[in-house]
Amino acid sequence: MIKGIAHLCIRVADLGRTARFYCQGLGLEKAFDFRRDDKTVGFYLKAGNGNYLEFFEREPAEPGANPIDSVNAAVAAAGYTPGEKKMGADHAYQAWLTDPDGVRIELHEYTPDCCQKTGRTCYL
């Protein structure tokens, strides 16, 4: 039986900016860093009860990459029904899948004009 979630891994553009937000802004405490070749490449933040948030710096997206299309292709190749990709009210692409137990999963693909990047109000 699952008694907790050890950690969630989140890829971010800037580790320093992320650490400042979560530690100084939200008051979380850093547990430890991941280092490679004298450079911090990630870190854990304590989230209570033995749970953590894990952050790693992400690679810049490849030009023309379409993550939802790639995921849908892999889902179809595995014999499952892919989700229909459509533009959401937030100007980001989305597709909904259903796992074998009926749990709905949203795939989300940001665009340059999406509210998450522009900060604009999203109208439903």
Side-chain angles (χ1 to χ4, degrees):
M1 177 187 334
I2 296 175
K3 299 193 185 234
I5 295 175
H7 67 274
L8 295 175
C9 182
I10 302 168
R11 299 278 185 178
V12 300
D14 185 311
L15 289 173
R17 180 179 67 193
T18 299
R20 283 188 300 281
F21 174 80
Y22 284 93
C23 294
Q24 294 173 11
L26 297 181
L28 295 177
E29 181 182 343
K30 193 179 273 191
F32 60 86
D33 290 329
F34 289 100
R35 296 189 58 82
R36 180 180 299 125
D37 300 326
D38 290 328
K39 180 183 178 205
T40 299
V41 296
F43 58 85
Y44 259 42
L45 296 180
K46 296 177 183 178
N49 299 320
N51 300 300
Y52 298 89
L53 296 175
E54 176 185 59
F55 295 90
F56 279 98
E57 203 160 50
R58 70 173 176 250
E59 295 294 322
E62 294 179 23
N66 294 305
I68 289 179
D69 295 337
S70 299
V71 172
N72 272 341
V75 166
Y80 299 101
T81 304
E84 178 187 352
K85 181 177 174 179
K86 61 182 182 176
M87 183 63 69
D90 58 357
H91 304 282
Y93 289 109
Q94 58 182 258
W96 286 89
L97 308 174
T98 304
D99 82 357
D101 289 308
V103 176
R104 290 183 41 115
I105 300 167
E106 180 184 12
L107 303 178
H108 206 82
E109 181 180 325
Y110 292 154
T111 67
D113 295 327
C114 69
C115 298
Q116 293 87 340
K117 291 192 179 229
T118 64
R120 290 189 307 239
T121 301
C122 291
Y123 294 96
L124 302 176

